[in-house]
Amino acid sequence: QVQLVESGGGSVQAGQSLRLSCAASGYTVSNGCMAWLRQAPGTERETVATIDKTGRVATYARFVSGRFTISRDNAENTLYLQMNSLTPEDTAMYYCAADRLCPNDPRTWSYWGQGTQVTVSE
């Protein structure tokens, strides 16, 4: 059974940083594509960043603007998202997702975590 467990969310002020973690069990992070997605109230879920099976190719949403870094630790079987220079617009529930290949539709990832809340205040 695949389990993805996110942690590291919290409430911060604008300009501060957070590091999200996604611990995987029943799934090997180096065997497929993984991603961070987010969803704010009243909006659709959107992709924040993806990292491919090789770990060498990462993609980012345009709104990231160089502030976030996706990475993974194969030994720890964990995915990370380092978020710097946070703004109130980054406030959302952040989800970890995994699949054999990176899907184009953010709704179609095979495996999801329960999410971790990020709240950024002025």
Side-chain angles (χ1 to χ4, degrees), residues 18-115:
L18 282 173
R19 188 194 195 202
L20 306 183
S21 300
C22 171
S25 59
Y27 181 88
T28 303
V29 298
S30 59
N31 280 356
C33 185
M34 297 197 73
W36 288 98
L37 299 95
R38 71 184 189 183
Q39 187 169 19
T43 69
E44 292 191 352
R45 197 168 293 187
E46 59 184 354
T47 304
V48 176
T50 67
I51 186 165
D52 78 337
K53 177 179 180 178
T54 69
R56 294 193 292 268
V57 180
T59 66
Y60 297 93
R62 189 166 295 183
F63 60 76
V64 169
S65 299
R67 301 177 297 133
F68 300 173
T69 302
I70 188 171
S71 63
R72 70 181 195 215
D73 185 325
N74 293 342
E76 296 294 327
N77 210 35
T78 300
L79 180 74
Y80 299 101
L81 184 69
Q82 177 66 42
M83 304 189 295
N84 300 326
S85 302
L86 286 162
T87 73
E89 289 69 34
D90 294 316
T91 295
M93 185 72 78
Y94 283 72
Y95 298 90
C96 169
D99 210 323
R100 187 175 65 86
L101 298 174
C102 300
N104 291 324
D105 187 337
R107 298 168 295 180
T108 62
W109 290 84
S110 292
Y111 307 110
W112 291 91
Q114 292 300 305

